[in-house]
Each structure stands twice: as C-alpha cells, then as structure tokens.
Amino acid sequence: MNWKILLSPPEMSEVERALLISAFDSGWVAPAGPDLDQFELELAAFTGAAFAVGLSSGTAALHLALMTAGVQAGSDVLVSDLTFGASAFAVTYLGARPCFVDCEAATWHLDPDLLAEELGRRARIGALPAAVVVADLYGSVADYQRLEPICAEFDVPLIEDAAEAIGASRHGRSAGRFGRIAVLSFNGNKIVTTGGGGAVLTDDPSVAARVRYLATQSRQPVLHYEHHDIGFNYRMGNLNAAVGRGQLRTLPERIEQRGRVRDTYERSLAALPGVRFQAVPADCVPNHWLTTITIDEPQFGASAAEVLGALHAAGFEGRPGFKPMHMQPVFADAPAVGGAVSAEFFANSVSLPSSGRITDDDVAEVCAVIAAARP
C-alpha cells in the first residue's frame, strides 16, 4: 500500500550522506574499516559504555550476548513477554528455552514483582534460568533500579534488550547501560538506523573481545584461516557504520522532534475517553521512538482494530502493538508467568505514525480519523 504517512521511516540528513560518501570513496566497503572503528568508539562514548561492538543486526547482538552470558543448550532464559520476536528467537539459536514473564499495566515493561516471584520459585526447586532478557519498549526504559537487584540476588545475568531505546535514559543512566550486557538495534525503522545493524555494549573487556572474535568467524590471529570455535559472520559493514556515525550526531534533534509529535498526540486525543498512552515514570526520559496508545473499547466506543482500519483507509500506517510471545504459535509450548496484561495490551493497542518529520497538521489529521472512528 502507498501510505500517505508512514509509521517510522528512516530519517536521514546531509550529515549521514556526507559520511557515507566519504566511506565509499575510501574503498572500505567490508565489515571492517575506519568508520566501523570510529562508530564503536562514538557509540561507547554516547552511551557511557566502556566498549561497543558493531554487528550486522540486533538479533545477532542478542545471540552473542546470550552466548557470552553462558546460555547453553537445555538452559531456560526468562524473557519479556511483550517484545518483538527476536528477543526470544535468539534464545532458541543456542538450544535454550525461552520462558515468558508478563508486563506492568502502565509501562508495558517486564513486571519486577513477577520476576522476583518466579526467580524465588525457581531457586527453591533448583531450576534458576541461565539469564534474564528485559526489553525496553517503544523508546522507554524498564525499571532496572528494581530489576538489577532482583537478578543480582539470585546471581542470574541480566541482559538489557535496548533495541528500541538508544538515546533514552532512566535513573540518570543511558539505555544500554543496564545489566551485565546490553544490545542495540539499528534496523531501518529505528530512531537510529544503519540500514541494518546492531551492537553489544559492555564494560567488560573480555566480553567485548569474545563478541568481536565470535562475530568474525572465530578467526585465530594467524596468517592462514584457522578456527578453534564455531564463529559467525556478524560484523557490521563499514558503510553501515558511516551512516550510524551521522545518525548519532543528529539523534538529539530527532528525539526532540519525536517528543513533540507524542506531546501533540496527547493534547489532541486528551478529550477522547478510553485512550491511554504508555506511562512515562518520573525518572525516565524516553526517546519517543514509537507513540503507541491503548483503546478501551467500552469507553471509546470502537475497538483498536476499527481504529486501525480507519487509519489504513485514510492512508496512515498504523500497527497493532506487539503480540505477546506466549501467544505466538511458535512458542505455544513455552512456559509463561502471567500473560493477561500483555494479552490485553495486544488486543487494544495501536502504534501511530511517529516520525519527527510529520507536522502538527499531519498529527491533527491522524487524530481526526481516530475520533471519527467512534460511532
């Protein structure tokens, strides 16, 4: 379909273009080169991490993060129920089993109380998971002030899936700075994109070295090709990294623009009953990647599906919120703790066009379509 307004298209500028052309002209078009080296340094400086390793995708970053955290075949890994599938897919790459934990009703992030209860139960029966993966949703950041001590109490590695949250912060710390290892995604629809890519963030030099080694086919430092471990072709390309360098430089402007879009939506929809936005805790500064609402059908007078239908008919790209992992057919047999909150979210959620380049008039038009969906 030819959308009049897209959900979250890439936002490029002359900064990215100039860096990409310079990288192209340098001849470095492989998954190695000066822009990749510099992007990793700049990404580490931007987030406050000691080390960043640029990779081919956020999924690759999750895969290697789980490997370096010690996840093995037969392990259980607790994962946010409300997330994109990659958070759980990467667990299965290692022959481990994802086990899903429901979310909080207000923020849609993994519920710390449920996590503490589940880890306590597992500790009593000697079945602690190999890791916990917490997803930061829609540009916000989970409550790690509670989550980190819970995982530390049971000595279970915490991995922050900050795929959607670069530039956001909570508790005064940047997204990507929580847990033992964190991962980012630079997919085409993210607020920072390299066309495709991801990264692992860590303060542990041994973790960074191990991730870089595994991501480059586990090549030994000798003249010929020699391998002592199974490796992966997971490094980010130098041209992609050049784009990423420009995206980092322009990120503060995009966060400000997307924040304006969310604020305009909130003001414009405030008078409509039954419309709720993702809660922003006082200690959280989101990047406003994707403005998402829930619609209480009895109060609003129409369902989320009807609102989406109206948006699509008007040429506006909208999308349901994430379908919980416990409801995905591929994970039908996976254990889950709770699930009612995330299921209710999915049934009632709508992600709205969120680009920082849409105008107030565009937002007003989207909101008018939403309002007109009521009988």
Side-chain angles (χ1 to χ4, degrees):
M1 183 171 180
N2 292 322
W3 299 110
K4 180 178 177 181
I5 300 179
L6 293 167
L7 187 74
S8 181
E11 297 172 29
M12 297 291 162
S13 71
E14 284 299 315
V15 176
E16 291 89 340
R17 183 176 184 274
L19 285 164
L20 178 59
I21 291 173
S22 176
F24 180 86
D25 289 344
S26 76
W28 284 99
V29 297
D35 283 283
L36 177 54
D37 295 341
Q38 198 60 34
F39 181 51
E40 290 179 337
L41 292 173
E42 292 168 2
L43 187 58
F46 184 89
T47 58
F51 304 96
V53 183
L55 301 168
S56 58
S57 69
T59 309
L62 279 163
H63 184 191
L64 297 187
L66 289 160
M67 284 187 72
T68 55
V71 175
Q72 299 178 348
S75 301
D76 278 356
V77 176
L78 301 188
V79 181
S80 295
D81 190 23
L82 196 60
T83 185
F84 179 64
S87 302
F89 292 162
V91 175
T92 70
Y93 299 167
L94 297 169
R97 181 177 69 162
C99 308
F100 304 114
V101 181
D102 206 354
C103 63
E104 299 175 304
T107 68
W108 312 332
H109 289 126
L110 187 145
D111 187 329
D113 291 332
L114 286 181
L115 177 64
E117 180 182 322
E118 177 64 5
L119 288 177
R121 183 189 72 81
R122 286 172 170 268
R124 289 191 293 273
I125 62 175
L128 283 170
V132 172
V133 177
V134 177
D136 298 331
L137 285 186
Y138 298 120
S140 185
V141 183
D143 189 358
Y144 294 99
Q145 204 163 61
R146 296 182 63 197
L147 293 165
E148 286 186 317
I150 292 168
C151 290
E153 177 184 352
F154 295 96
D155 195 27
V156 175
L158 172 61
I159 296 172
E160 180 190 4
D161 181 355
E164 304 164 16
I166 185 170
S169 64
R170 190 158 185 183
H171 320 307
R173 293 162 63 188
S174 172
R177 298 300 300 118
F178 299 97
R180 192 170 298 182
I181 310 168
V183 303
L184 299 173
S185 170
F186 307 124
N187 191 36
N189 67 348
K190 296 297 190 292
I191 196 168
V192 168
T193 181
T194 59
V200 163
L201 301 175
T202 181
D203 287 341
D204 188 332
S206 65
V207 168
R210 183 69 177 170
V211 167
R212 189 170 281 109
Y213 165 73
L214 290 169
T216 50
Q217 302 284 24
S218 300
R219 287 178 56 186
Q220 293 296 313
V222 294
L223 186 60
H224 60 276
Y225 293 120
E226 182 161 338
H227 311 275
H228 298 178
D229 301 284
I230 299 297
F232 308 91
N233 186 18
Y234 276 176
R235 284 292 266 155
M236 178 183 287
N238 193 65
L239 298 182
N240 302 84
V243 174
R245 292 182 65 198
Q247 288 272 284
L248 279 184
R249 294 180 191 180
T250 57
L251 177 56
E253 178 183 355
R254 285 196 305 285
I255 291 175
E256 182 180 352
Q257 291 169 337
R258 291 198 181 214
R260 170 188 57 78
V261 170
R262 160 145 176 169
D263 289 345
T264 305
Y265 274 127
E266 288 202 67
R267 289 195 304 272
S268 301
L269 297 174
L272 295 179
V275 176
R276 183 168 65 86
F277 288 76
Q278 183 180 25
V280 179
D283 59 358
C284 181
V285 180
N287 70 14
H288 307 290
W289 169 57
L290 204 59
T291 296
T292 300
I293 60 173
T294 56
I295 294 174
D296 185 316
E297 183 177 353
Q299 292 185 43
F300 183 77
S303 68
E306 290 170 324
V307 169
L308 277 169
L311 289 172
H312 291 174
F316 302 135
E317 186 183 13
R319 184 182 297 166
F322 289 125
K323 184 175 184 178
M325 292 299 99
H326 83 271
M327 296 176 66
Q328 298 287 353
V330 71
F331 294 123
D333 296 328
V337 180
V341 178
S342 57
E344 182 178 2
F345 164 85
F346 173 61
N348 299 314
S349 57
V350 179
S351 290
L352 303 174
S354 301
S355 167
R357 293 183 177 171
I358 64 176
T359 66
D360 288 351
D361 287 343
D362 293 330
V363 173
E365 194 172 350
V366 171
C367 292
V369 171
I370 294 172
R374 303 179 69 206

